[in-house]
Amino acid sequence: MAVSKAGPEVHGAPSGAAALTAPPRPVVPEIAPAPVLANNPPNQTNYYIGSEPVSASTTHSVSGWLVDKVAPPLISGLIISAIVSVIIARAMERYRGERDHVNRAADALRSQLLALQKATTAYWLSSYDSEKSALQEAEIEFLLQDIAGLASACGAELWQNQAGEGPQLVAELAEQATGPDFGTKTRISDRKRATAVTRVAARFTGRLTSGRREYFNRHKAGWFASRARLASKAWRGMRRK
Amino acid sequence: MTTLQVAREFSPYLGGRYRDDGPWSGEQFRDEMLRPRLLEAIQQHATLHINFDGVAGMPPSFLEEAFGGLLRTVPGLELKTLNERLKLDAEDPELWPFLKLAQKFMEHQAERPH
């Protein structure tokens, strides 16, 4: 805005002699109102990045920012969480399956041991019989073979090698159930052997049960248990410091 | 060292105690396979390894007649010699108790009066 001495008084300037003696006051130009951003329709929300306003026409850069900065870690996170959940689910399924298999084998083993006790008792309480003995012998031999298979399936901890406790226990059971006279035509009834089988079978079942408990305690939740132990150890170490 | 593969050289389906009980009996195995091969190994100061992998099962009566019967039928054969010259073996864990059982049958037979 132009200022003239001869022209009309400037708003706020002194008049007459005072105007001649007094130094001229500095002219303060009117401050123009903040320009309204072009293409910014009324009621349009203004966006800011830092202190800089962003017009509606430039909001496409916000979506670009989202695509550049937010989406990649979000997608990576989703992929990682999906993979981890699949791995955890598989580990849990495997553990559950193994446990079910061992439990089913243990149940079958118990019923076969019971059948063996009955068969051996009946066999050893009578002397050789040309008609019955062959059938009884075949049944006892089948049961012993089945028991060996089931015991090796549900007592992995006892079945590490040939000299392991599991094979020894089954061998002892088989020895009590059969003996040197088993299957001979000169066999006579043997009450001691008939009762010994029950005793050995009871000891065998007890040992298998405790072996199975030890095995599951050691392998409980496998990976998770080992990580929990490590975390607990680290936590104790930090607290000591 | 010589090896006798029972499943391949004799049968994968081991039978009963006597020949009368059917084929592949312990008596047949002892007379046709075990005794000649063991005596040969003893003469050569070698060890006879008997491998049972591949058999469907090891019936106790078969084992008693084959291994316990070895001490009954070979005069002068001692348990000590058998322990030195005869080794029973199997990779299959289900057969391990029966290897031990065969050993026990030999021990029982050695303790029995002839």
Side-chain angles (χ1 to χ4, degrees):
Chain A
M1 186 180 287
V3 179
S4 166
K5 285 178 185 174
E9 280 185 1
V10 177
H11 175 72
S15 60
L20 293 172
T21 55
R25 293 180 66 183
V27 175
V28 180
E30 264 186 37
I31 298 169
V36 176
L37 294 169
N39 303 323
N40 195 8
N43 303 324
Q44 171 76 46
T45 308
N46 283 329
Y47 298 98
Y48 291 84
I49 296 175
S51 58
E52 294 292 320
V54 180
S55 70
S57 63
T58 57
T59 50
H60 68 275
S61 64
V62 173
S63 61
W65 174 75
L66 282 171
V67 169
D68 287 346
K69 303 286 181 190
V70 178
L74 193 68
I75 291 168
S76 310
L78 282 172
I79 290 169
I80 290 167
S81 62
I83 291 169
V84 168
S85 59
V86 165
I87 290 169
I88 290 169
R90 277 180 68 87
M92 293 298 288
E93 189 65 29
R94 189 177 169 184
Y95 174 71
R96 229 183 349 247
E98 189 184 345
R99 194 177 175 131
D100 285 350
H101 171 71
V102 170
N103 285 338
R104 275 199 294 271
D107 290 344
L109 180 63
R110 270 196 209 96
S111 67
Q112 293 297 63
L113 280 171
L114 193 65
L116 180 72
Q117 285 172 50
K118 285 178 183 169
T120 48
T121 306
Y123 181 76
W124 285 108
L125 285 179
S126 61
S127 298
Y128 172 75
D129 183 318
S130 59
E131 287 181 1
K132 278 176 26 183
S133 291
L135 280 175
Q136 288 174 320
E137 284 156 15
E139 186 186 2
I140 290 169
E141 285 176 346
F142 167 78
L143 286 169
L144 283 171
Q145 198 69 47
D146 200 29
I147 284 166
L150 290 168
S152 69
C154 71
E157 289 288 287
L158 307 176
W159 223 272
Q160 303 288 347
N161 51 49
Q162 283 191 34
E165 202 179 346
Q168 302 293 331
L169 281 166
V170 176
E172 196 180 336
L173 185 73
E175 188 196 4
Q176 290 299 330
T178 58
D181 291 332
F182 183 79
T184 59
K185 289 170 182 163
T186 54
R187 178 182 65 83
I188 52 167
S189 67
D190 188 343
R191 282 175 185 275
K192 273 189 181 175
R193 195 171 284 281
T195 53
V197 172
T198 306
R199 199 169 50 246
V200 175
R203 195 154 60 85
F204 178 52
T205 314
R207 187 63 193 92
L208 269 174
T209 307
S210 61
R212 188 167 48 136
R213 198 184 308 119
E214 284 165 20
Y215 177 77
F216 279 123
N217 282 342
R218 206 168 299 163
H219 293 84
K220 194 180 279 175
W223 187 87
F224 300 102
S226 65
R227 290 302 174 278
R229 277 196 297 273
L230 281 175
S232 157
K233 201 174 172 182
W235 173 247
R236 281 200 301 271
M238 280 167 65
R239 287 191 69 184
R240 261 189 231 116
K241 285 177 186 173
Chain B
M1 183 190 86
T2 53
T3 304
L4 171 57
Q5 296 279 352
V6 177
R8 206 179 62 220
E9 297 178 47
F10 185 66
S11 172
Y13 307 105
L14 307 181
R17 182 183 280 271
Y18 303 120
R19 286 177 195 270
D20 296 347
D21 296 332
W24 317 120
S25 64
E27 188 181 12
Q28 184 187 350
F29 176 72
R30 184 194 66 208
D31 293 344
E32 294 177 10
M33 307 286 297
L34 184 58
R35 192 165 50 193
R37 299 282 287 269
L38 180 69
L39 293 177
E40 191 185 329
I42 290 170
Q43 277 182 350
Q44 294 173 354
H45 301 285
T47 307
L48 175 64
H49 280 255
I50 301 181
N51 188 283
F52 283 93
D53 281 320
V55 299
M58 294 168 71
S61 51
F62 173 96
L63 295 175
E64 206 290 323
E65 191 58 32
F67 296 98
L70 201 58
L71 286 162
R72 282 195 294 271
T73 57
V74 179
L77 185 63
E78 291 179 352
L79 181 65
K80 189 186 166 195
T81 313
L82 269 185
N83 287 337
E84 285 171 2
R85 300 289 170 203
L86 186 67
K87 302 287 174 200
L88 309 181
D89 191 25
E91 292 286 318
D92 185 355
E94 290 183 23
L95 301 178
W96 292 348
F98 299 98
L99 302 179
K100 183 74 184 168
L101 185 64
Q103 180 66 35
K104 282 176 183 268
F105 283 148
M106 287 191 278
E107 288 165 10
H108 282 307
Q109 186 54 46
E111 288 165 10
R112 277 183 166 188
H114 291 284

